[in-house]
Amino acid sequence: MVVLRMTSLVKWILILFGLISVIANIVIVCLYSGRLPKCSSKPHHVFKGKHNERSAMFADLSAEEYLQVRDYMSNQKDLDISVNALTKPSGNFLFLIDVLLPRKADALGYLDNNKPKPVREATAVVFYGTLGHIKEYVVGPLPNPIYHRDVTVERYKEELPINARTVTIGEYALISKFIDEEVFTKLGKIVKESFDVSKEKTLNYFEGMPRGVKSGERQTWISFFRDLSGMYIHPVGLEVLINHESTNASLWSVKRLLYNGQYFDSVEDLLKQYDDGKVTKIVYKSVQNYASLKLKSKPTGLSPQQFYAQGKRFSVKNNHVMYLEWSFAFGLSSLTGMRVFDVRFKGERIAYEVSVQEAMSVYGSITPGMILTKFLDSSIGIGRFAHELVRGVDCPYAATYIDTFRYIDVSAPQRFRNSICLFEHNTGRPLRRHFSDFFSNSYGGMVNSALVFRTITAIGNYDYLWDFIFYQSGSVEAKVHATGYISSSFNVDGNLKYGHQVAENTIGNIHTHFINFKVDLDVLGVENVFQTKDMKFMNVSLPWMPERYAIVPQLVEAQLKTEKEAALRYDTKTPRYLHIASNRTNRWGHQRSYRLQVVSFTGDSLPETEPEEKSMSWARYKVAITKHKDSEQTSSSLYSQNNMWTPAVDFSKYIEDDENIENQDLVAWVTTGFLHIPHAEDIPNTVTVGNGGGVILRPHNYFDEDPSIHSPDGVYISPGSEGNCENNKMACLAEDACSPVVEPFTYNGFEGTIKFEE
């Protein structure tokens, strides 16, 4: 009995002691956590060199510069220009102001040889509705411009017709008014019964492009959608063809209509047949908004977050960035989007320019709003739609955010807060590693930590994530991912040949995504050659048994001499290794080069027999190498979308002259992308996983060894040194623990949205 009591007493004493220990440990942990130092905002990293103030020549225009150009142009009475964003097509409208990049020779002279600083100038684009043409002017110098010069014919070899212009906010306002008066009002009974349209409730519209089937036309098929968030996947079955060729809106007209798969010659024709019972009617019913992105589950916690324990290892000053061994200048064009200049690794220029050029999609459908649709986004403005990035979602919370300014289809320059982000990113996989198990034991490795330069552009229904990534191995990656809403059409007979049904009466239409990048590599100077490498199997005799043979892979190398030879088409087999090379060699006698590694899942490009193909002829080529010319600045243009048949820029002409490319300043035009066959999982949004492409610029015999071996991020472990911090910073991570300094969350992204009124 006494023994039992003693045992019970000991048990309760042990339980009580255990509880006291747990509570004490919790208190100690809490006290210790509360004493964690704040992470330093000052970097421990010592930067090599200084920011290059000369990079400012690549910078986008400032708000003050935009205003100076606008005011100068509007004060030229002989030009008779309006700066009102609601200017009608019949007026003369200052549509765009953008920085004019310097000539490359002048820029390199200034950067490398202390030559004079290039004059800073701007391009101003004016839509002359009164005269029936478009003009481009060079305006300068900046700041405080005093001259302008018409360069339209100099740039495009011809005048630009007024119907090649982008649809402006002023024209959209008139289109909306026209639809209300000529469609909704006249079809009041039909749109009420079919779509529940009233004074309080309307439909949204989305346009097909191009606007016609030949040059000079401006006839647009407009498809209507429910007035719900994510309206792009709520088609209602009504489409209208509007003729708005005239700059005088009073002369516009409705040419054709499509209602529930049936065509009509006029509004009156539809009304009569509807009343006569000759039309299969669409009966309105309300639907749940399956396109909504509102949360369906309550947030329960935070996802993993990144922070900088010892400060950021990159620095931004004006438009110049330094990161470990990297440096570059950057800009964001309203038309083409993200670009970087004077990209250097270990002080040597790798590339003069890497930039987005164009984003193109070709759609398939049986309905007219999409059957002819071929979107060329630079004609709308890729960079134009780079809105504020959301902390912790679009970019890591602790990223550095940068504001941009633009002047396109507005009355005054717009500020887009936090529209570029910059962050160092641990990819979650090692850049390199090896565990040695045979003969000797050791581990050597390195985290793959890279700098990401990002913007996201929301162009209508699609959102494109643009990344330029700088790796410690000396590689640069330019990549894109697509998300957002698919385009859709109403489910009518025959439409399932062009996509899958993804919601009630909704077809997700098959389409391609083609993205074009400009890669102006300067490998140890501007005199480079273009080389290819691949493999072939050869039947060779064995040296020690000549009578026996084996099939073994052998290296195949070639140097291409002309632009036509170096235009590598998607519809032919191309070598797997593509190089821009210098004639200088590394320690081992091989030409120092950078490889272009294209990551792509493109569909087929539009056949060349199609008249619209001229406007997207760059999509024929996986990679095309041309001799650098300042006159061949872009692969597309502002005018390609609305004048596809005689485009102002036809990229194929860059190749037709077939110039010599040996020991020349070379530019690589790289096309990537993916085929998209929409499916149920694209509702409500397409995800970024698997939907993208890009190009990786990789050193190939450029160095004598992998440059990352000199990185401070390397780790080496040998038997007995597992806890040694000298060669393994991870072993002492606890000593560097700190609590992150969290910036307050703000968002002003709705400031720059398009408005159709004053």
Side-chain angles (χ1 to χ4, degrees):
M1 189 71 173
V2 173
V3 172
L4 287 173
R5 285 178 180 175
M6 287 295 293
T7 303
S8 178
L9 181 62
V10 169
K11 181 176 74 173
W12 283 109
I13 289 172
L14 290 172
I15 291 172
L16 183 62
F17 180 77
L19 285 172
I20 292 171
S21 297
V22 169
I23 293 170
N25 281 323
I26 291 172
V27 171
I28 290 170
V29 168
C30 291
L31 289 173
Y32 176 75
S33 299
R35 289 198 300 266
L36 273 179
K38 292 289 184 182
C39 296
S40 173
S41 60
K42 295 181 179 180
H44 287 206
H45 174 73
V46 178
F47 291 98
K48 297 179 180 179
K50 298 180 180 179
H51 283 286
N52 191 345
E53 302 292 341
R54 298 189 176 195
S55 293
M57 65 179 164
F58 300 117
D60 299 331
L61 298 180
S62 65
E64 293 75 17
E65 288 174 320
Y66 280 125
L67 286 170
Q68 287 176 5
V69 174
R70 182 200 68 176
D71 293 346
Y72 169 82
M73 292 295 287
S74 64
N75 288 334
Q76 306 308 303
K77 301 303 180 185
D78 58 316
L79 298 181
D80 188 26
I81 293 173
S82 169
V83 296
N84 184 341
L86 289 176
T87 298
K88 296 179 179 180
S90 56
N92 302 331
F93 178 49
L94 178 59
F95 174 74
L96 171 71
I97 301 172
D98 207 353
V99 67
L100 176 62
L101 294 172
R103 293 176 64 253
K104 183 176 179 180
D106 295 339
L108 292 180
Y110 178 57
L111 287 170
D112 301 339
N113 301 315
N114 290 317
K115 295 288 181 67
K117 180 180 179 181
V119 175
R120 188 161 170 81
E121 296 175 316
T123 290
V125 176
V126 180
F127 296 163
Y128 280 100
T130 61
L131 301 174
H133 59 226
I134 300 167
K135 290 288 186 183
E136 292 196 2
Y137 297 96
V138 169
V139 183
L142 295 175
N144 306 315
I146 58 173
Y147 61 79
H148 64 282
R149 187 175 79 256
D150 180 358
V151 293
T152 312
V153 175
E154 177 186 329
R155 289 179 177 177
Y156 302 108
K157 313 306 180 196
E158 61 185 2
E159 295 287 356
L160 298 171
I162 191 63
N163 278 354
R165 74 189 185 280
T166 298
V167 174
T168 63
I169 291 174
E171 188 171 359
Y172 276 124
L174 292 175
I175 290 173
S176 297
K177 182 173 180 287
F178 180 87
I179 290 170
D180 285 338
E181 295 175 354
E182 300 297 324
V183 179
F184 291 162
T185 299
K186 292 183 178 181
L187 293 178
K189 176 185 176 182
I190 296 177
V191 296
K192 175 61 180 176
E193 292 180 356
S194 300
F195 317 120
D196 197 29
V197 170
S198 64
K199 289 183 178 179
E200 294 76 31
K201 188 175 181 182
T202 188
L203 296 175
N204 289 331
Y205 65 85
F206 193 58
E207 314 151 273
M209 301 180 200
R211 304 175 191 281
V213 295
K214 62 183 180 181
S215 290
E217 286 192 348
R218 200 172 183 82
Q219 300 188 23
T220 303
W221 274 104
I222 292 178
S223 305
F224 292 93
F225 298 79
R226 292 178 187 255
D227 185 20
L228 297 170
S229 63
M231 62 102 176
Y232 306 101
I233 50 177
H234 282 290
V236 298
L238 176 65
E239 301 184 17
V240 178
L241 177 63
I242 293 177
N243 182 344
H244 53 124
E245 287 179 14
S246 175
T247 56
N248 182 350
S250 67
L251 300 178
W252 295 357
S253 61
V254 173
K255 301 292 290 183
R256 297 294 296 275
L257 299 94
L258 178 76
Y259 175 89
N260 200 14
Q262 187 174 344
Y263 285 92
F264 302 90
D265 292 331
S266 66
V267 169
E268 292 73 22
D269 184 26
L270 171 55
L271 277 169
K272 185 177 185 308
Q273 294 199 49
Y274 187 91
D275 289 338
D276 291 346
K278 297 180 179 179
V279 175
T280 303
K281 297 181 180 181
I282 299 171
V283 179
Y284 172 79
K285 66 176 182 178
S286 61
V287 297
Q288 182 181 6
N289 187 8
Y290 47 80
S292 174
L293 299 180
K294 291 182 178 178
L295 303 186
K296 293 187 177 181
S297 298
K298 186 177 180 180
T300 56
L302 285 174
S303 59
Q305 301 292 309
Q306 293 188 11
F307 65 95
Y308 302 95
Q310 296 184 336
K312 295 176 179 178
R313 300 194 296 183
F314 62 89
S315 173
V316 185
K317 184 177 181 182
N318 300 321
N319 72 315
H320 191 257
V321 175
M322 295 193 303
Y323 166 65
L324 299 177
E325 300 288 355
W326 288 103
S327 69
F328 60 90
F330 67 86
L332 183 67
S333 164
S334 294
L335 298 183
T336 58
M338 202 159 71
R339 52 195 186 187
V340 292
F341 301 94
D342 193 26
V343 179
R344 300 181 186 230
F345 186 75
K346 291 183 175 290
E348 289 185 332
R349 182 178 300 111
I350 302 300
Y352 176 76
E353 176 185 355
V354 182
S355 59
V356 181
Q357 290 292 298
E358 185 63 279
M360 177 268 285
S361 296
V362 175
Y363 281 80
S365 178
I366 200 170
T367 57
M370 203 157 285
I371 194 170
L372 294 176
T373 288
K374 301 164 184 68
F375 288 127
L376 290 168
D377 289 343
S378 75
S379 295
I380 305 166
I382 297 173
R384 172 185 184 177
F385 296 103
H387 291 277
E388 181 167 8
L389 301 166
V390 176
R391 281 184 183 272
V393 183
D394 294 331
C395 308
Y397 200 98
T400 293
Y401 293 84
I402 301 167
D403 296 351
T404 59
F405 292 86
R406 270 159 257 154
Y407 191 108
I408 179 170
D409 205 7
V410 289
S411 299
Q414 287 182 300
R415 175 189 181 188
F416 291 83
R417 302 172 194 262
N418 304 328
S419 46
I420 292 174
C421 73
L422 199 62
F423 57 93
E424 189 173 3
H425 173 59
N426 182 338
T427 66
R429 65 179 184 273
L431 179 65
R432 53 175 173 78
R433 60 97 70 190
H434 178 67
F435 179 82
S436 183
D437 192 19
F438 296 103
F439 307 116
S440 63
N441 301 133
S442 65
Y443 171 87
M446 178 180 159
V447 64
N448 189 5
S449 188
L451 185 73
V452 181
F453 178 66
R454 172 178 295 170
T455 193
I456 302 177
T457 56
I459 309 167
N461 55 309
Y462 263 109
D463 297 50
Y464 287 108
L465 282 74
W466 307 97
D467 285 344
F468 291 164
I469 307 174
F470 300 84
Y471 297 97
Q472 294 188 56
S473 59
S475 296
V476 183
E477 183 174 10
K479 66 192 300 186
V480 60
H481 288 93
T483 178
Y485 290 99
I486 59 171
S487 285
S488 68
S489 59
F490 197 69
N491 188 10
V492 298
D493 288 345
N495 220 4
L496 283 173
K497 294 179 181 178
Y498 303 96
H500 294 141
Q501 183 166 350
V502 293
E504 187 172 358
N505 291 322
T506 302
I507 298 295
N509 295 86
I510 187 172
H511 57 281
T512 62
H513 287 271
F514 281 83
I515 308 296
N516 191 240
F517 291 98
K518 180 181 181 181
V519 181
D520 185 353
L521 285 167
D522 286 352
V523 181
L524 300 172
V526 295
E527 293 186 3
N528 293 155
V529 295
F530 181 55
Q531 298 175 333
T532 65
K533 299 180 184 180
D534 212 323
M535 59 160 283
K536 66 177 179 180
F537 281 108
M538 297 294 291
N539 190 18
V540 299
S541 65
L542 302 180
W544 68 98
M545 289 191 299
E547 71 280 6
R548 297 299 298 268
Y549 287 79
I551 300 295
V552 297
Q554 187 177 91
L555 175 64
V556 178
E557 299 179 282
Q559 183 165 305
L560 306 187
K561 298 178 180 181
T562 68
E563 289 176 327
K564 285 187 178 179
E565 285 184 23
L568 307 179
R569 303 176 71 106
Y570 260 112
D571 57 1
T572 60
K573 183 179 180 181
T574 60
R576 295 172 179 86
Y577 276 61
L578 310 173
H579 302 263
I580 302 292
S582 166
N583 285 315
R584 292 163 62 181
T585 58
N586 69 358
R587 179 182 176 184
W588 315 113
H590 299 293
Q591 284 177 261
R592 298 174 66 182
S593 73
Y594 257 75
R595 177 188 173 195
L596 301 160
Q597 183 171 333
V598 183
V599 180
S600 184
F601 177 59
T602 57
D604 296 335
S605 59
L606 195 67
E608 292 174 43
T609 53
E610 287 298 289
E612 296 88 357
E613 194 272 343
K614 290 180 181 178
S615 64
M616 56 189 77
S617 57
W618 49 267
R620 303 173 191 172
Y621 310 102
K622 182 176 185 178
V623 172
I625 306 296
T626 63
K627 179 181 175 180
H628 176 274
K629 294 179 182 176
D630 290 302
S631 60
E632 295 177 351
Q633 187 65 238
T634 58
S635 61
S636 190
S637 83
L638 171 62
Y639 316 106
S640 294
Q641 179 71 82
N642 293 302
N643 195 15
M644 287 187 155
W645 311 275
T646 52
V649 173
D650 178 354
F651 176 78
S652 66
K653 292 181 179 179
Y654 293 3
I655 297 167
E656 282 180 2
D657 55 7
D658 200 24
E659 290 190 88
N660 172 56
I661 57 170
E662 289 190 297
N663 301 313
Q664 301 290 337
D665 187 0
L666 303 183
V667 178
W669 307 85
V670 180
T671 300
T672 182
F674 63 98
L675 171 66
H676 193 177
I677 302 175
H679 45 90
E681 293 81 8
D682 285 311
I683 304 300
N685 268 183
T686 292
V687 298
T688 56
V689 177
N691 291 322
V695 57
I696 308 171
L697 314 179
R698 299 178 58 185
H700 186 91
N701 289 322
Y702 185 88
F703 302 103
D704 297 333
E705 62 182 355
D706 171 21
S708 76
I709 197 68
H710 300 283
S711 170
D713 290 347
V715 167
Y716 183 80
I717 306 172
S718 57
S721 69
E722 290 83 353
N724 187 338
C725 300
E726 185 176 345
N727 293 318
N728 178 13
K729 288 294 183 183
M730 295 298 100
C732 298
L733 186 61
E735 297 177 11
D736 294 320
C738 59
S739 59
V741 178
V742 179
E743 296 285 335
F745 182 89
T746 60
Y747 188 68
N748 307 279
F750 302 114
E751 289 179 350
T753 54
I754 292 177
K755 303 291 191 300
F756 295 101
E757 64 278 336
E758 295 282 9

